[in-house]
């Protein structure tokens, strides 16, 4: 058996993206611990029940848990109420921001210098009722949170920036994941062309959970220090026949398009992730749906 790459705690490893991340990291020879409030339906890694809004529990989970493990090399923080509207606004904000702060602070306290966490495409300005400054959107323009959920994600990014300022050896990578999909979700995609406005809210983007997991692994492997933020989406849109150029012209005709668009090219730019992480999506919905 190959030697382990290192031990990583994955918070929220029982969730939709978390399950794919845990599986991919196990297959990539990481020693994975799933930290969550509920066990996984796909239990391929040891599970520890932790409430991340409790700082003491969080520090303990990133330090040692009896006979399970005695050190942690990296943390992937995915645990959160995963979208706007799933709880009252103050509950979403308080839960998500508190959990993120606790994970970031506990990692620093326990000497973990490799932190990857789930930010969100919502920070880009979803649902884009106000047009974006240009297309494809990227990481370069200021955040535009439009919900308590996305405000919390924006706060996470600002907190991470200060943690990295305090500790120059720390690496923190925020991944602005698009709408997470699994193969079972793809049967609905051909119907989106009937009304392109249905998916205008996130510029027709998505991320296959398996490609999201790839991005997490590559972020863990990245050798830099300091804060980096990446949009993580698939290379194509959810649309079956309507091209990206047609979508841009129809829905946001006043918005500058910065380059000639490929037929179904994502309007959530992944150029930075490609350049710095070597990220390249491998799973398009088009190869799944007949």
């Amino acid at each position: 058996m190959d030697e382990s790459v290192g031990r990583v705690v994955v918070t929220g490893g029982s969730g939709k993206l978390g399950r794919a991340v845990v599986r991919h990291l196990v297959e990539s020879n990481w020693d994975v611990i799933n930290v969550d409030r509920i066990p996984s339906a796909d239990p391929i890694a040891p599970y520890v029940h932790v409430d991340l809004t409790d700082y003491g529990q969080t520090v303990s989970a990133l330090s040692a848990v009896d006979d399970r493990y005695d050190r942690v090399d990296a943390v992937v923080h995915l645990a959160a109420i995963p979208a706007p509207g799933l709880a009252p606004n103050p509950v979403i904000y308080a839960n998500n921001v508190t959990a993120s702060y606790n994970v970031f602070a506990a990692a620093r306290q326990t000497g973990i210098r490799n932190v990857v966490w789930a930010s969100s495409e919502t920070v880009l300005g979803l649902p884009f009722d106000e047009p974006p400054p240009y297309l494809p959107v990227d990481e370069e323009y200021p955040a535009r949170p439009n919900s308590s959920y996305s405000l919390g994600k924006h706060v996470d990014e600002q907190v991470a920036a200060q943690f990295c300022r305090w500790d120059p050896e720390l690496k923190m990578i925020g991944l602005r994941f698009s709408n997470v999909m699994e193969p079972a979700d793809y049967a609905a995609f051909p119907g989106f062309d009937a009304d392109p406005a249905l998916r205008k809210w996130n510029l027709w983007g998505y991320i296959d959970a398996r490609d999201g997991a790839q991005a997490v692994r590559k972020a863990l492997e990245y050798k830099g220090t300091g804060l980096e933020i990446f949009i993580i989406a698939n290379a194509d849109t959810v649309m079956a026949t309507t091209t990206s150029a047609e979508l841009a012209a129809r829905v946001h005709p006043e918005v500058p398009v910065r380059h000639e668009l490929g037929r179904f090219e994502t309007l959530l730019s992944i150029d930075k992730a490609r350049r710095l992480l070597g990220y390249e999506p491998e799973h398009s919905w088009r190869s799944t749906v007949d």
Side-chain angles (χ1 to χ4, degrees):
M1 184 173 182
D2 294 337
E3 185 177 351
S4 170
V5 174
R7 180 171 293 122
V8 58
V9 163
V10 177
T11 77
S14 300
K16 189 174 188 179
L17 177 59
R19 293 190 301 272
V21 168
V22 168
R23 177 168 293 279
H24 182 70
L25 292 180
V26 168
E27 291 172 350
S28 301
N29 223 31
W30 282 85
D31 181 3
V32 181
I33 307 295
N34 173 24
V35 164
D36 208 322
R37 287 179 175 174
I38 59 171
S40 177
D42 186 16
I44 64 170
Y47 163 74
V48 179
H49 179 277
V50 178
D51 179 356
L52 295 171
T53 64
D54 182 300
Y55 185 65
Q57 291 187 43
T58 307
V59 171
S60 180
L62 296 188
S63 304
V65 175
D66 286 340
D67 60 347
R68 290 291 182 91
Y69 54 95
D70 59 3
R71 74 170 207 292
V72 175
D73 302 305
V75 59
V76 174
H77 175 46
L78 307 177
I81 298 173
L86 299 180
N89 293 344
V91 173
I92 290 177
Y93 183 89
N95 179 87
N96 291 0
V97 172
T98 301
S100 294
Y101 173 83
N102 286 351
V103 169
F104 297 170
R108 183 166 182 253
Q109 181 172 327
T110 56
I112 297 170
R113 296 292 179 266
N114 192 358
V115 179
V116 177
W117 89 96
S119 188
S120 169
E121 65 179 357
T122 60
V123 177
L124 296 165
L126 275 63
F128 291 114
D129 293 332
E130 176 187 1
Y134 49 79
L135 292 171
V137 298
D138 60 20
E139 302 88 350
E140 298 305 315
Y141 65 88
R144 299 167 132 196
N146 287 323
S147 66
S148 294
Y149 171 83
S150 60
L151 180 61
K153 293 296 186 179
H154 176 50
V155 169
D156 291 351
E157 293 183 2
Q158 303 311 302
V159 170
Q162 300 311 312
F163 271 76
C164 290
R165 182 175 65 85
W166 296 344
D167 183 353
E169 299 301 315
L170 182 60
K171 181 189 81 178
M172 300 189 73
I173 295 184
L175 302 178
R176 291 178 175 176
F177 288 109
S178 188
N179 190 195
V180 177
M181 298 289 180
E182 295 174 324
D185 298 316
Y186 293 146
F189 278 35
F192 292 144
D193 272 280
D195 183 4
L198 288 175
R199 296 285 305 195
K200 167 194 168 186
W201 59 273
N202 81 333
L203 298 180
W204 308 276
Y206 74 107
I207 178 65
D208 187 289
R210 295 165 294 181
D211 285 318
Q214 177 211 152
V216 167
R217 175 177 58 80
K218 288 183 178 293
L220 286 171
E221 294 170 350
Y222 181 67
K223 299 303 183 185
T225 57
L227 174 67
E228 292 287 357
I229 302 295
F230 298 95
I231 294 171
I232 301 298
N234 272 73
D236 58 345
T237 69
V238 302
M239 305 301 283
T241 61
T242 309
T243 68
S244 297
E246 290 170 337
L247 292 170
R250 182 185 308 181
V251 178
H252 292 302
E254 74 286 13
V255 173
V257 177
R258 289 192 154 184
H259 63 254
E260 184 176 350
L261 296 169
R263 188 177 181 196
F264 299 116
E265 179 182 341
T266 179
L267 295 174
L268 304 172
S269 175
I270 55 175
D271 289 349
K272 182 181 178 183
R274 282 170 158 155
R275 185 175 69 254
L276 294 187
L277 298 181
Y279 167 70
E280 191 59 51
E282 298 174 353
H283 302 280
S284 170
W285 74 271
R286 297 169 204 280
S287 61
T288 304
V289 177
D290 294 331

mmCIF file with all atom_site columns, all heavy atoms in Angstrom, residues 128-142:
data_model
loop_
_atom_site.group_PDB
_atom_site.id
_atom_site.type_symbol
_atom_site.label_atom_id
_atom_site.label_alt_id
_atom_site.label_comp_id
_atom_site.label_asym_id
_atom_site.label_entity_id
_atom_site.label_seq_id
_atom_site.pdbx_PDB_ins_code
_atom_site.Cartn_x
_atom_site.Cartn_y
_atom_site.Cartn_z
_atom_site.occupancy
_atom_site.B_iso_or_equiv
_atom_site.pdbx_formal_charge
_atom_site.auth_seq_id
_atom_site.auth_comp_id
_atom_site.auth_asym_id
_atom_site.auth_atom_id
_atom_site.pdbx_PDB_model_num
ATOM 1   N N   . PHE A 1 128 ? -27.553 37.956 -10.137 1.00 0.00 ? 128 PHE A N   1
ATOM 2   C CA  . PHE A 1 128 ? -27.247 38.769 -11.313 1.00 0.00 ? 128 PHE A CA  1
ATOM 3   C C   . PHE A 1 128 ? -28.451 39.555 -11.839 1.00 0.00 ? 128 PHE A C   1
ATOM 4   O O   . PHE A 1 128 ? -28.575 39.781 -13.036 1.00 0.00 ? 128 PHE A O   1
ATOM 5   C CB  . PHE A 1 128 ? -26.632 37.916 -12.431 1.00 0.00 ? 128 PHE A CB  1
ATOM 6   C CG  . PHE A 1 128 ? -25.250 37.425 -12.098 1.00 0.00 ? 128 PHE A CG  1
ATOM 7   C CD1 . PHE A 1 128 ? -25.000 36.078 -11.918 1.00 0.00 ? 128 PHE A CD1 1
ATOM 8   C CD2 . PHE A 1 128 ? -24.189 38.319 -11.958 1.00 0.00 ? 128 PHE A CD2 1
ATOM 9   C CE1 . PHE A 1 128 ? -23.717 35.628 -11.601 1.00 0.00 ? 128 PHE A CE1 1
ATOM 10  C CE2 . PHE A 1 128 ? -22.916 37.882 -11.634 1.00 0.00 ? 128 PHE A CE2 1
ATOM 11  C CZ  . PHE A 1 128 ? -22.669 36.534 -11.458 1.00 0.00 ? 128 PHE A CZ  1
ATOM 12  N N   . ASP A 1 129 ? -29.356 39.948 -10.920 1.00 0.00 ? 129 ASP A N   1
ATOM 13  C CA  . ASP A 1 129 ? -30.390 40.903 -11.316 1.00 0.00 ? 129 ASP A CA  1
ATOM 14  C C   . ASP A 1 129 ? -29.737 42.227 -11.696 1.00 0.00 ? 129 ASP A C   1
ATOM 15  O O   . ASP A 1 129 ? -30.199 42.932 -12.590 1.00 0.00 ? 129 ASP A O   1
ATOM 16  C CB  . ASP A 1 129 ? -31.382 41.109 -10.168 1.00 0.00 ? 129 ASP A CB  1
ATOM 17  C CG  . ASP A 1 129 ? -32.198 39.855 -9.879  1.00 0.00 ? 129 ASP A CG  1
ATOM 18  O OD1 . ASP A 1 129 ? -32.391 39.059 -10.825 1.00 0.00 ? 129 ASP A OD1 1
ATOM 19  O OD2 . ASP A 1 129 ? -32.609 39.660 -8.728  1.00 0.00 ? 129 ASP A OD2 1
ATOM 20  N N   . GLU A 1 130 ? -28.675 42.561 -10.995 1.00 0.00 ? 130 GLU A N   1
ATOM 21  C CA  . GLU A 1 130 ? -27.803 43.659 -11.402 1.00 0.00 ? 130 GLU A CA  1
ATOM 22  C C   . GLU A 1 130 ? -26.737 43.054 -12.306 1.00 0.00 ? 130 GLU A C   1
ATOM 23  O O   . GLU A 1 130 ? -26.039 42.113 -11.911 1.00 0.00 ? 130 GLU A O   1
ATOM 24  C CB  . GLU A 1 130 ? -27.131 44.292 -10.183 1.00 0.00 ? 130 GLU A CB  1
ATOM 25  C CG  . GLU A 1 130 ? -26.130 45.375 -10.520 1.00 0.00 ? 130 GLU A CG  1
ATOM 26  C CD  . GLU A 1 130 ? -25.358 45.852 -9.299  1.00 0.00 ? 130 GLU A CD  1
ATOM 27  O OE1 . GLU A 1 130 ? -25.600 45.314 -8.187  1.00 0.00 ? 130 GLU A OE1 1
ATOM 28  O OE2 . GLU A 1 130 ? -24.506 46.744 -9.456  1.00 0.00 ? 130 GLU A OE2 1
ATOM 29  N N   . PRO A 1 131 ? -26.584 43.528 -13.529 1.00 0.00 ? 131 PRO A N   1
ATOM 30  C CA  . PRO A 1 131 ? -25.639 42.897 -14.464 1.00 0.00 ? 131 PRO A CA  1
ATOM 31  C C   . PRO A 1 131 ? -24.219 42.902 -13.911 1.00 0.00 ? 131 PRO A C   1
ATOM 32  O O   . PRO A 1 131 ? -23.804 43.841 -13.220 1.00 0.00 ? 131 PRO A O   1
ATOM 33  C CB  . PRO A 1 131 ? -25.746 43.764 -15.723 1.00 0.00 ? 131 PRO A CB  1
ATOM 34  C CG  . PRO A 1 131 ? -27.079 44.417 -15.628 1.00 0.00 ? 131 PRO A CG  1
ATOM 35  C CD  . PRO A 1 131 ? -27.314 44.647 -14.167 1.00 0.00 ? 131 PRO A CD  1
ATOM 36  N N   . PRO A 1 132 ? -23.450 41.866 -14.218 1.00 0.00 ? 132 PRO A N   1
ATOM 37  C CA  . PRO A 1 132 ? -22.037 41.856 -13.822 1.00 0.00 ? 132 PRO A CA  1
ATOM 38  C C   . PRO A 1 132 ? -21.262 42.910 -14.610 1.00 0.00 ? 132 PRO A C   1
ATOM 39  O O   . PRO A 1 132 ? -21.735 43.391 -15.646 1.00 0.00 ? 132 PRO A O   1
ATOM 40  C CB  . PRO A 1 132 ? -21.580 40.438 -14.186 1.00 0.00 ? 132 PRO A CB  1
ATOM 41  C CG  . PRO A 1 132 ? -22.492 40.032 -15.297 1.00 0.00 ? 132 PRO A CG  1
ATOM 42  C CD  . PRO A 1 132 ? -23.819 40.673 -14.994 1.00 0.00 ? 132 PRO A CD  1
ATOM 43  N N   . PRO A 1 133 ? -20.057 43.268 -14.162 1.00 0.00 ? 133 PRO A N   1
ATOM 44  C CA  . PRO A 1 133 ? -19.312 44.316 -14.869 1.00 0.00 ? 133 PRO A CA  1
ATOM 45  C C   . PRO A 1 133 ? -18.818 43.881 -16.234 1.00 0.00 ? 133 PRO A C   1
ATOM 46  O O   . PRO A 1 133 ? -18.618 44.721 -17.116 1.00 0.00 ? 133 PRO A O   1
ATOM 47  C CB  . PRO A 1 133 ? -18.141 44.613 -13.927 1.00 0.00 ? 133 PRO A CB  1
ATOM 48  C CG  . PRO A 1 133 ? -18.005 43.401 -13.069 1.00 0.00 ? 133 PRO A CG  1
ATOM 49  C CD  . PRO A 1 133 ? -19.393 42.851 -12.921 1.00 0.00 ? 133 PRO A CD  1
ATOM 50  N N   . TYR A 1 134 ? -18.622 42.574 -16.425 1.00 0.00 ? 134 TYR A N   1
ATOM 51  C CA  . TYR A 1 134 ? -18.152 42.038 -17.706 1.00 0.00 ? 134 TYR A CA  1
ATOM 52  C C   . TYR A 1 134 ? -18.366 40.534 -17.694 1.00 0.00 ? 134 TYR A C   1
ATOM 53  O O   . TYR A 1 134 ? -18.673 39.937 -16.653 1.00 0.00 ? 134 TYR A O   1
ATOM 54  C CB  . TYR A 1 134 ? -16.668 42.376 -17.940 1.00 0.00 ? 134 TYR A CB  1
ATOM 55  C CG  . TYR A 1 134 ? -15.763 42.050 -16.770 1.00 0.00 ? 134 TYR A CG  1
ATOM 56  C CD1 . TYR A 1 134 ? -15.323 40.747 -16.524 1.00 0.00 ? 134 TYR A CD1 1
ATOM 57  C CD2 . TYR A 1 134 ? -15.350 43.051 -15.894 1.00 0.00 ? 134 TYR A CD2 1
ATOM 58  C CE1 . TYR A 1 134 ? -14.507 40.454 -15.436 1.00 0.00 ? 134 TYR A CE1 1
ATOM 59  C CE2 . TYR A 1 134 ? -14.540 42.770 -14.806 1.00 0.00 ? 134 TYR A CE2 1
ATOM 60  C CZ  . TYR A 1 134 ? -14.113 41.459 -14.586 1.00 0.00 ? 134 TYR A CZ  1
ATOM 61  O OH  . TYR A 1 134 ? -13.309 41.168 -13.506 1.00 0.00 ? 134 TYR A OH  1
ATOM 62  N N   . LEU A 1 135 ? -18.216 39.934 -18.865 1.00 0.00 ? 135 LEU A N   1
ATOM 63  C CA  . LEU A 1 135 ? -18.337 38.483 -19.023 1.00 0.00 ? 135 LEU A CA  1
ATOM 64  C C   . LEU A 1 135 ? -17.116 37.958 -19.796 1.00 0.00 ? 135 LEU A C   1
ATOM 65  O O   . LEU A 1 135 ? -16.621 38.652 -20.677 1.00 0.00 ? 135 LEU A O   1
ATOM 66  C CB  . LEU A 1 135 ? -19.616 38.132 -19.795 1.00 0.00 ? 135 LEU A CB  1
ATOM 67  C CG  . LEU A 1 135 ? -20.940 38.402 -19.073 1.00 0.00 ? 135 LEU A CG  1
ATOM 68  C CD1 . LEU A 1 135 ? -22.110 38.227 -20.041 1.00 0.00 ? 135 LEU A CD1 1
ATOM 69  C CD2 . LEU A 1 135 ? -21.109 37.472 -17.877 1.00 0.00 ? 135 LEU A CD2 1
ATOM 70  N N   . PRO A 1 136 ? -16.680 36.746 -19.471 1.00 0.00 ? 136 PRO A N   1
ATOM 71  C CA  . PRO A 1 136 ? -17.035 35.931 -18.310 1.00 0.00 ? 136 PRO A CA  1
ATOM 72  C C   . PRO A 1 136 ? -16.614 36.614 -17.003 1.00 0.00 ? 136 PRO A C   1
ATOM 73  O O   . PRO A 1 136 ? -15.619 37.348 -16.985 1.00 0.00 ? 136 PRO A O   1
ATOM 74  C CB  . PRO A 1 136 ? -16.249 34.637 -18.521 1.00 0.00 ? 136 PRO A CB  1
ATOM 75  C CG  . PRO A 1 136 ? -15.923 34.606 -19.991 1.00 0.00 ? 136 PRO A CG  1
ATOM 76  C CD  . PRO A 1 136 ? -15.739 36.047 -20.387 1.00 0.00 ? 136 PRO A CD  1
ATOM 77  N N   . VAL A 1 137 ? -17.360 36.378 -15.936 1.00 0.00 ? 137 VAL A N   1
ATOM 78  C CA  . VAL A 1 137 ? -16.993 36.956 -14.645 1.00 0.00 ? 137 VAL A CA  1
ATOM 79  C C   . VAL A 1 137 ? -15.769 36.225 -14.108 1.00 0.00 ? 137 VAL A C   1
ATOM 80  O O   . VAL A 1 137 ? -15.515 35.065 -14.440 1.00 0.00 ? 137 VAL A O   1
ATOM 81  C CB  . VAL A 1 137 ? -18.156 36.872 -13.643 1.00 0.00 ? 137 VAL A CB  1
ATOM 82  C CG1 . VAL A 1 137 ? -19.356 37.671 -14.134 1.00 0.00 ? 137 VAL A CG1 1
ATOM 83  C CG2 . VAL A 1 137 ? -18.551 35.433 -13.352 1.00 0.00 ? 137 VAL A CG2 1
ATOM 84  N N   . ASP A 1 138 ? -14.997 36.923 -13.271 1.00 0.00 ? 138 ASP A N   1
ATOM 85  C CA  . ASP A 1 138 ? -13.800 36.317 -12.694 1.00 0.00 ? 138 ASP A CA  1
ATOM 86  C C   . ASP A 1 138 ? -13.600 36.802 -11.267 1.00 0.00 ? 138 ASP A C   1
ATOM 87  O O   . ASP A 1 138 ? -14.511 37.401 -10.679 1.00 0.00 ? 138 ASP A O   1
ATOM 88  C CB  . ASP A 1 138 ? -12.569 36.600 -13.566 1.00 0.00 ? 138 ASP A CB  1
ATOM 89  C CG  . ASP A 1 138 ? -12.273 38.085 -13.726 1.00 0.00 ? 138 ASP A CG  1
ATOM 90  O OD1 . ASP A 1 138 ? -12.746 38.894 -12.900 1.00 0.00 ? 138 ASP A OD1 1
ATOM 91  O OD2 . ASP A 1 138 ? -11.564 38.450 -14.695 1.00 0.00 ? 138 ASP A OD2 1
ATOM 92  N N   . GLU A 1 139 ? -12.430 36.568 -10.707 1.00 0.00 ? 139 GLU A N   1
ATOM 93  C CA  . GLU A 1 139 ? -12.147 36.888 -9.310  1.00 0.00 ? 139 GLU A CA  1
ATOM 94  C C   . GLU A 1 139 ? -11.666 38.322 -9.108  1.00 0.00 ? 139 GLU A C   1
ATOM 95  O O   . GLU A 1 139 ? -11.371 38.718 -7.969  1.00 0.00 ? 139 GLU A O   1
ATOM 96  C CB  . GLU A 1 139 ? -11.071 35.937 -8.758  1.00 0.00 ? 139 GLU A CB  1
ATOM 97  C CG  . GLU A 1 139 ? -11.419 34.463 -8.832  1.00 0.00 ? 139 GLU A CG  1
ATOM 98  C CD  . GLU A 1 139 ? -11.019 33.801 -10.143 1.00 0.00 ? 139 GLU A CD  1
ATOM 99  O OE1 . GLU A 1 139 ? -10.621 34.550 -11.093 1.00 0.00 ? 139 GLU A OE1 1
ATOM 100 O OE2 . GLU A 1 139 ? -11.115 32.567 -10.240 1.00 0.00 ? 139 GLU A OE2 1
ATOM 101 N N   . GLU A 1 140 ? -11.583 39.116 -10.167 1.00 0.00 ? 140 GLU A N   1
ATOM 102 C CA  . GLU A 1 140 ? -10.894 40.402 -10.092 1.00 0.00 ? 140 GLU A CA  1
ATOM 103 C C   . GLU A 1 140 ? -11.764 41.569 -9.642  1.00 0.00 ? 140 GLU A C   1
ATOM 104 O O   . GLU A 1 140 ? -11.237 42.590 -9.206  1.00 0.00 ? 140 GLU A O   1
ATOM 105 C CB  . GLU A 1 140 ? -10.271 40.727 -11.457 1.00 0.00 ? 140 GLU A CB  1
ATOM 106 C CG  . GLU A 1 140 ? -9.220  39.717 -11.905 1.00 0.00 ? 140 GLU A CG  1
ATOM 107 C CD  . GLU A 1 140 ? -8.126  39.524 -10.883 1.00 0.00 ? 140 GLU A CD  1
ATOM 108 O OE1 . GLU A 1 140 ? -7.640  40.541 -10.340 1.00 0.00 ? 140 GLU A OE1 1
ATOM 109 O OE2 . GLU A 1 140 ? -7.762  38.367 -10.591 1.00 0.00 ? 140 GLU A OE2 1
ATOM 110 N N   . TYR A 1 141 ? -13.072 41.474 -9.759  1.00 0.00 ? 141 TYR A N   1
ATOM 111 C CA  . TYR A 1 141 ? -13.881 42.625 -9.345  1.00 0.00 ? 141 TYR A CA  1
ATOM 112 C C   . TYR A 1 141 ? -14.373 42.439 -7.907  1.00 0.00 ? 141 TYR A C   1
ATOM 113 O O   . TYR A 1 141 ? -14.440 41.306 -7.408  1.00 0.00 ? 141 TYR A O   1
ATOM 114 C CB  . TYR A 1 141 ? -15.033 42.882 -10.311 1.00 0.00 ? 141 TYR A CB  1
ATOM 115 C CG  . TYR A 1 141 ? -16.102 41.820 -10.405 1.00 0.00 ? 141 TYR A CG  1
ATOM 116 C CD1 . TYR A 1 141 ? -17.203 41.819 -9.546  1.00 0.00 ? 141 TYR A CD1 1
ATOM 117 C CD2 . TYR A 1 141 ? -16.057 40.837 -11.396 1.00 0.00 ? 141 TYR A CD2 1
ATOM 118 C CE1 . TYR A 1 141 ? -18.201 40.873 -9.652  1.00 0.00 ? 141 TYR A CE1 1
ATOM 119 C CE2 . TYR A 1 141 ? -17.047 39.879 -11.513 1.00 0.00 ? 141 TYR A CE2 1
ATOM 120 C CZ  . TYR A 1 141 ? -18.121 39.899 -10.643 1.00 0.00 ? 141 TYR A CZ  1
ATOM 121 O OH  . TYR A 1 141 ? -19.113 38.959 -10.745 1.00 0.00 ? 141 TYR A OH  1
ATOM 122 N N   . PRO A 1 142 ? -14.693 43.525 -7.207  1.00 0.00 ? 142 PRO A N   1
ATOM 123 C CA  . PRO A 1 142 ? -15.082 43.428 -5.791  1.00 0.00 ? 142 PRO A CA  1
ATOM 124 C C   . PRO A 1 142 ? -16.321 42.570 -5.599  1.00 0.00 ? 142 PRO A C   1
ATOM 125 O O   . PRO A 1 142 ? -17.207 42.496 -6.453  1.00 0.00 ? 142 PRO A O   1
ATOM 126 C CB  . PRO A 1 142 ? -15.358 44.891 -5.397  1.00 0.00 ? 142 PRO A CB  1
ATOM 127 C CG  . PRO A 1 142 ? -14.565 45.704 -6.356  1.00 0.00 ? 142 PRO A CG  1
ATOM 128 C CD  . PRO A 1 142 ? -14.590 44.934 -7.651  1.00 0.00 ? 142 PRO A CD  1
#
